[in-house]
Amino acid sequence: MDITLERVGYTYAAGTPFQKRALEDVNIRIPSGSYTAIIGHTGSGKSTLLQHLNALLKPTEGVVRVGDTEITRQTKGKQLRPVRRKVGIVFQFPEHQLFEETVLKDVMFGPLNFGVPEEQARARALELLGLLGLPEGTAEKSPFDLSGGQMRRVAIAGVLAMDPDVLVLDEPTAGLDPSGRNEIMDLFRRLHDERDMTTILVTHSMEDAARYADHMIVMHGGTDVMQGPPEEVFGDEERLARWRLGVPRTVAFQREFERGAGLPPSPPRLTEEQLADYLAAAVGKGGGAR
């Protein structure tokens, strides 16, 4: 299910003294089945953009297409229900969205609200709690008696229980330690592969964008300024610097090595594994790797 935005603009509090322009002439395509990373400096429009992906916000101008559904300023609320079921959003600190008295009820809430039979919703919730690595017996506990990391997994289970075709992740590792961050990101990668979902990651981490994404969108000043595969985006360091964005640590190290060895810049190595292979080959050839 492709997602496209055509000439999309959005103004908060339009027509009031407090109006603020957040998006301007955004034209992007998120291919079905892709793992797309959206990057940009604070205030670039990333968070406003992601809220258009499941119609939490409707565009002030332009058209958002989610599969076969068109969303414009005139689209009525009842027409948006299928989109909100197809596109699940995991916001920053999703554990703050927990509210039910038990974990099981919290995870079942979304499916029940969309008419899924209770036994089916229960089976789906229990399956997801196991898939997310929560201990046996967690289902009947209060979500507020869990650790922070467990609460986050419960909140993620609640989004996945809707069985979305598209999963939008808004800085999903905020506040986690490095070990917890890697676990969560690897989990999302596995879900992406196993469930054949479209995954959209909004992130400040160039490392996460480089490691997990196969498509990237760069936002600046409320509009899209670059789209393409990670190798292309991170290969254009001059443009990224203009938008106050850096490159992954692996690419920064690679460039330092190439300057020190007198080598011309080569395609960026986006992961530690790629960088290690490149350095080994370069050293083995006396600095002559390309």
Side-chain angles (χ1 to χ4, degrees):
M1 183 172 61
D2 288 357
I3 297 176
T4 59
L5 281 73
E6 295 179 7
R7 307 196 70 177
V8 166
Y10 186 77
T11 302
Y12 286 102
T16 77
F18 306 102
Q19 71 177 28
K20 179 182 178 183
R21 193 69 167 166
L23 295 179
E24 183 74 50
D25 194 26
V26 175
N27 295 276
I28 63 174
R29 175 176 175 267
I30 299 173
S32 179
S34 69
Y35 197 127
T36 295
I38 302 175
I39 63 172
H41 201 269
T42 300
S44 63
K46 301 189 303 298
S47 294
T48 302
L49 172 62
L50 78 84
Q51 291 181 73
H52 281 75
L53 302 182
N54 80 339
L56 287 176
L57 295 177
K58 294 186 292 185
T60 307
E61 305 96 30
V63 181
V64 178
R65 290 188 177 88
V66 180
D68 297 327
T69 302
E70 281 196 0
I71 304 164
T72 68
R73 184 179 59 178
Q74 291 81 23
T75 304
K76 303 299 182 184
K78 63 182 180 180
Q79 298 172 266
L80 303 175
R81 190 175 173 88
V83 172
R84 291 171 179 160
R85 184 169 185 174
K86 291 176 183 176
V87 182
I89 298 183
V90 178
F91 289 101
Q92 286 190 48
F93 304 105
E95 57 270 24
H96 295 170
Q97 299 165 232
L98 300 174
F99 64 94
E100 280 282 12
E101 61 184 16
T102 70
V103 166
L104 184 61
K105 287 183 178 180
D106 214 300
V107 178
M108 290 174 62
F109 177 83
L112 291 175
N113 194 43
F114 275 87
V116 175
E118 184 172 352
E119 283 308 307
Q120 185 179 337
R122 177 185 297 273
R124 187 184 297 177
L126 292 173
E127 177 190 0
L128 285 165
L129 292 174
L131 180 68
L132 290 168
L134 287 157
E136 190 173 346
T138 300
E140 300 307 323
K141 291 183 177 180
S142 165
F144 307 105
D145 290 338
L146 304 180
S147 69
Q150 289 175 331
M151 291 174 70
R152 182 160 302 193
R153 288 171 186 261
V154 170
I156 292 167
V159 175
L160 294 175
M162 298 295 295
D163 199 21
D165 295 326
V166 180
L167 186 63
V168 182
L169 310 171
D170 182 16
E171 298 284 354
T173 61
L176 296 180
D177 60 32
S179 175
R181 186 169 70 83
N182 291 337
E183 282 183 12
I184 289 291
M185 289 306 301
D186 287 344
L187 169 66
F188 286 131
R189 178 76 240 189
R190 180 160 55 87
L191 290 169
H192 173 83
D193 293 338
E194 292 177 355
R195 297 186 168 221
D196 196 26
M197 292 189 300
T198 301
T199 302
I200 302 166
L201 172 67
V202 179
T203 184
H204 284 98
S205 170
M206 301 301 104
E207 283 68 34
D208 286 347
R211 173 168 287 278
Y212 297 103
D214 51 54
H215 180 70
M216 292 185 64
I217 296 167
V218 183
M219 296 290 294
H220 180 74
T223 194
D224 57 292
V225 291
M226 193 176 186
Q227 299 180 56
E231 295 82 2
E232 178 183 318
V233 171
F234 288 127
D236 199 337
E237 297 161 70
E238 186 175 326
R239 289 176 76 190
L240 289 174
R242 193 185 316 151
W243 302 318
R244 295 183 291 167
L245 296 171
V247 295
R249 288 186 294 269
T250 55
V251 179
F253 188 95
Q254 176 188 341
R255 297 303 181 223
E256 284 294 324
F257 172 80
E258 288 169 340
R259 284 190 288 269
L263 296 171
S266 62
R269 273 60 178 188
L270 302 181
T271 66
E272 291 86 350
E273 296 83 359
Q274 291 175 0
L275 179 62
D277 290 344
Y278 169 70
L279 295 175
V283 171
K285 295 179 181 179
R290 295 292 184 269

